[in-house]
Amino acid sequence: MALLRGGRQKVCQLFKSHVTRQSSVGQRCFSAEPAPKESDDSITVTVNPFKGHRLEPPSRDVQTNKKELLDMFETMVRMRRTEIAADLLYKQKLARGFLHLADGQEAVPVGIEAALDFKDSMIQSYRDHCTFLGRGGSVKELFAELLGKKDGCARGLGGSMHMYKREHNFFGGIGIVGEQCPLGAGLAFAHKYRNDGHVAMTLYGDGAANQGQLYEAFNMAAIWELPCIFVCENNHYGMGTAERRASKSAAFYTRGDYVPGMWIDGMDCLAVKQGVAFAKQFVLKNGPIVLEMDTYRYHGHSISDPGSTYRTRDEISGIRRARDPIEHVKTLLTENNFAEGSDLKKREKQIKREVEADIEAAKDCEFPPIEDLWNNIYKDGLKAKLRPIEISKPKIQL
């Protein structure tokens, strides 16, 4: 299997990172962030090698510290508890519609946000819950949206596939496969037009990697040298189809041809941070780049997919043991004496209780008014009214 590029032995070695203690933190060579203040608890972690296409990849040595690792750990745990709870809400039929979970892929949004700020734009596919939380969205807003409540991030009108946070330049949550790719190029055009020094992150899955509109977006972004970072979150299955069965070339970071690209271990938030920090500086000077994040989802494609008909349970459990992004950060924290395993376990339980409290708060929110059904369709509403209906009867009563 392609995830499994190089076989199980290679997978099992993926997180044997080299860690070096430092007395202070220096500025990250490719970071968009200012130099961290000096700290006695900083370390340098050597991540798995990057693979470059038409570029020289950045250093594998990533600087981090206790606070950053703790923040990453807590954010990823919150994301995972949220996804697990969302799955339960749908199974209880308290939430309806589509649902695409990203548990297992938490290192991608967490690593991305460690290298960017909220003035950089972000647009995502419909697997968008963790991206929304990474952009500063709250768990309550997310669940209120899933439950169709007016306090949701899209006022209860978007649902799972349309998370949104305009004030932090998160433009969704797009429901059509690949549609966000040309829109992301448009966001990058806006940044270049304003000359504001920021970039657009355009995320898509390996299932969208053969879409024609993606390559149109590559072309326009390259012609205009737009500051666009195209990110293929390669979880190795487009719905239930393995990448090797759907793509003649599954090296997605090379598929931009004339657009440079880079492969990143998407199960390691520090590798993602380093790669994205490098990519931001690269696109501001040279135009677009394609990043392939090698990641993995634990749930099926959607709520209707058990996730075990096209892959084995042994494969899923094997990835959990060898590459889980939360366990990797937990290991860095304990091995460097930044935290005790028992304390991290307590924090996990506390986050679970916080998520459960947010769910109850979302349940208590009100539904949007019925008039919202026709708001934002016509400018003046055309004096629309809802015809009366009886819920128990399928026909509209005139």
Side-chain angles (χ1 to χ4, degrees), residues 125 208 221 295 308 374:
S125 70
T295 186
S308 57
W374 54 81

Side-chain angles (χ1 to χ4, degrees), residues 113-322:
E113 297 298 354
L116 303 181
D117 59 53
F118 292 157
K119 293 181 181 179
D120 297 303
S121 297
M122 182 90 65
I123 193 164
Q124 172 63 290
S125 70
Y126 43 71
R127 202 177 303 277
D128 58 353
H129 298 174
C130 293
T131 308
F132 171 73
L133 295 177
R135 279 271 111 173
S138 72
V139 175
K140 178 186 173 182
E141 286 178 300
L142 188 152
F143 281 114
E145 188 61 36
L146 294 183
L147 296 170
K149 303 299 183 74
K150 69 178 184 180
D151 289 344
C153 60
R155 293 179 288 184
L157 303 175
S160 172
M161 298 196 293
H162 299 288
M163 299 290 155
Y164 186 76
K165 197 168 186 64
R166 176 64 183 87
E167 62 269 32
H168 288 172
N169 289 303
F170 178 48
F171 295 90
I174 303 296
I176 305 300
V177 174
E179 180 187 356
Q180 71 275 16
C181 299
L183 296 177
L187 292 171
F189 179 83
H191 285 300
K192 181 161 186 171
Y193 186 83
R194 291 193 295 260
N195 193 28
D196 59 13
H198 294 286
V199 303
M201 297 291 296
T202 303
L203 291 89
Y204 60 97
D206 53 292
N210 297 313
Q211 284 270 323
Q213 57 190 326
L214 173 63
Y215 295 90
E216 294 175 27
F218 285 170
N219 186 58
M220 295 302 292
I223 289 172
W224 291 339
E225 297 182 350
L226 301 181
C228 191
I229 302 175
F230 293 97
V231 179
C232 177
E233 291 185 272
N234 182 12
N235 61 31
H236 301 275
Y237 295 95
M239 298 186 71
T241 304
E243 57 178 2
R244 60 184 171 79
R245 297 179 58 211
S247 299
K248 183 65 175 177
S249 169
F252 297 111
Y253 70 101
T254 69
R255 295 279 295 274
D257 187 16
Y258 43 81
V259 177
M262 186 164 65
W263 180 95
I264 299 172
D265 181 358
M267 300 292 273
D268 182 348
C269 50
L270 294 179
V272 175
K273 179 185 80 167
Q274 184 82 331
V276 173
F278 168 85
K280 177 169 182 175
Q281 297 304 316
F282 182 91
V283 299
L284 288 171
K285 296 177 181 178
N286 304 290
I289 191 173
V290 178
L291 302 182
E292 178 185 347
M293 303 288 184
D294 188 331
T295 186
Y296 197 80
R297 57 171 163 80
Y298 296 150
H299 268 88
H301 168 74
S302 67
I303 191 64
S304 60
D305 172 20
S308 57
T309 57
Y310 47 85
R311 56 183 181 174
T312 66
R313 295 189 184 279
D314 286 344
E315 178 186 313
I316 301 169
S317 61
I319 298 300
R320 279 184 180 272
R321 288 193 301 270

